[in-house]
Structures are given as C-alpha cells and as structure tokens.
Amino acid sequence: MKNNEMINLIKRRRSIRNFKEEQLKEDELNQILECAIYAPTGCYNQPWHFTIIQNKDVLNKMSEISNEEMSKSDDKWLSNKGKKNKPLFFNAPTVVVVSGKEDAYSPLTDCSAAIENMLLAAESLDIGSLWCGLVSHFFERKEVEVLNIPEGYKPYYAIALGYKDGETPEPLERRRDIFTYII
Ligand SMILES: Cc1cc2nc3c(=O)[nH]c(=O)nc-3n(C[C@H](O)[C@H](O)[C@H](O)COP(=O)(O)O)c2cc1C
C-alpha cells in the first residue's frame, strides 16, 4: 500500500483531551482557519462563520451552561455527564465556534468539511484538536448572545485547539465491514 504524509496524517489524528495552557501562536491559528475556508461547499456558497474565543471567562461559562443543560436531560448518559461538570473543552486555550448560514444549500455539511480541514491542519502542526458537539446545549440558551453570531447563522459545533499535553494516543480501531463494491 502506498504511504504518504497526508494519508499518515489522516490516520494519525486523534481527539485530544489534554491541553497545555500556553496559547497558540497567531500564525498557527491563522493557518488552521485558512485551511477551514478551503473546504469544498455546495454551490460554492461558503456559508460559514468562525468565532474565535480565547477569553477564559467566556469558555468557562459556555462549558458550565452546557453541563447545566445536559444535567437536566432525560437521557441518563447525558445527564450524568452534565452533573460531573467537567470542562467541555478540556481547558484548551482556543475554541472556534463554527456557524452555518441557514438559508444556504448545505451549510451543516459545508461546516463539517471545514471542521475536518481544521482538525487535519492542526495535526499537521502538531496542535491538538477536539470536535465538540456537546456545546450545542449552550447554543440553545440566550447567553449565546455573547458570541455575536451574525444574523441568519446557526452555531453548530465548537473546535477546541491547543498544544497537546502528553503523547497523542494511538488511533482507535475502525470498523471494516462497511464497504460494498459494485464491480
Ligand atoms: C460531530 C462530533 C461531535 C463530537 N463531540 C464531542 C464532544 O462534545 N466531546 C468530546 O469529548 N468528543 C467529541 N467528539 C469526538 C469523538 O468522540 C471522537 O472523534 C471519536 O470518539 C473518535 O476518536 P478520534 O477522533 O480520536 O479518532 C465529537 C466528534 C464528532 C464528529
């Protein structure tokens, strides 16, 4: 099987949940954001908006409120998770909220493509990243106003970014029974 840096990188990337406190360098963050906007988009809509948050008070509030909402859930797993009140972003120093333009052709898909580009760009710079979906509970609350999301855009996900504290874990096993070939 052929081996190249891009393929190795894709297979090496892991969700990181241990971050150093040190902030990312500006040019590293800019490179990651630049890669986000080179993702493909339906009808070339580019229907996204990126909110870069480095304010600890805001990040703590987002985490706290999400956990509070989760703890009220009927879903046992979710409510237990919320009650533990663990920091949602694992103290990453930078979090990027990705929002999609609601009337675009395929905003959620386009934003997800941008997110994957960010995760891979981060890994290429040896920067840790985590795709955070649980923050959606914060997006439902009025306190989301603090993010100043532009009118017509819906926040979907947050991406935690920071220098890894410790070794990158080994890749998780992947299912292999998911391919159908029509020859
Ligand atoms: C849509 C989406 C939402 C996710 N939300 C969270 C989250 O809120 N918290 C978390 O710790 N990991 C979250 N993850 C990370 C997954 O748990 C992780 O990607 C998966 O377990 C596979 O591990 P890997 O990324 O290291 O390969 C999310 C991943 C995706 C794609």
Side-chain angles (χ1 to χ4, degrees):
M1 205 185 266
K2 272 206 170 169
N3 216 348
N4 70 37
E5 195 38 45
M6 188 65 200
I7 291 172
N8 291 340
L9 178 91
I10 289 170
K11 296 175 79 171
R12 187 171 75 226
R13 181 214 55 81
R14 285 298 315 276
S15 292
I16 297 299
R17 298 184 179 89
N18 288 299
F19 294 97
K20 291 187 178 160
E21 235 191 284
E22 186 186 347
Q23 188 51 272
L24 298 180
K25 293 181 187 69
E26 200 180 322
D27 74 305
E28 291 172 329
L29 176 60
N30 287 341
Q31 284 192 68
I32 293 169
L33 295 171
E34 184 75 5
C35 288
I37 63 173
Y38 272 82
T41 53
C43 302
Y44 185 42
N45 271 176
Q46 304 179 74
W48 41 43
H49 185 84
F50 302 88
T51 309
I52 296 97
I53 310 157
Q54 296 183 324
N55 180 304
K56 276 191 189 168
D57 294 337
V58 172
L59 293 176
N60 289 340
K61 205 80 210 150
M62 289 169 73
S63 181
E64 223 172 81
I65 289 178
S66 300
N67 278 319
E68 187 187 313
E69 284 300 315
M70 281 154 59
S71 70
K72 294 185 215 157
S73 169
D74 291 337
D75 180 308
K76 240 191 154 32
W77 178 83
L78 203 59
S79 80
N80 280 339
K81 214 170 169 59
K83 281 173 193 154
K84 285 186 189 142
N85 197 23
K86 277 219 195 135
L88 224 59
F89 311 120
F90 300 87
N91 301 317
T94 294
V95 169
V96 180
V97 168
V98 184
S99 307
K101 191 165 185 293
E102 286 180 284
D103 64 359
Y105 185 69
S106 47
L108 178 56
T109 311
D110 301 339
C111 286
S112 299
I115 291 170
E116 180 66 3
N117 272 12
M118 290 170 68
L119 304 188
L120 294 176
E123 178 57 33
S124 78
L125 299 168
D126 201 25
I127 288 169
S129 65
L130 179 70
W131 188 328
C132 300
L134 293 174
V135 68
S136 61
H137 300 275
F138 170 74
F139 297 152
E140 301 306 318
R141 288 264 299 246
K142 67 166 177 36
E143 289 90 338
V144 72
E145 282 167 12
V146 71
L147 300 184
N148 241 332
I149 308 283
E151 188 70 32
Y153 285 73
K154 179 178 162 57
Y156 294 132
Y157 292 112
I159 307 305
L161 295 167
Y163 298 122
K164 300 170 191 172
D165 191 8
E167 292 296 306
T168 307
E170 286 295 311
L172 294 172
E173 276 298 310
R174 258 46 186 184
R175 284 179 58 196
R176 302 275 165 193
D177 57 344
I178 36 77
F179 302 106
T180 299
Y181 295 86
I182 312 290
I183 298 173

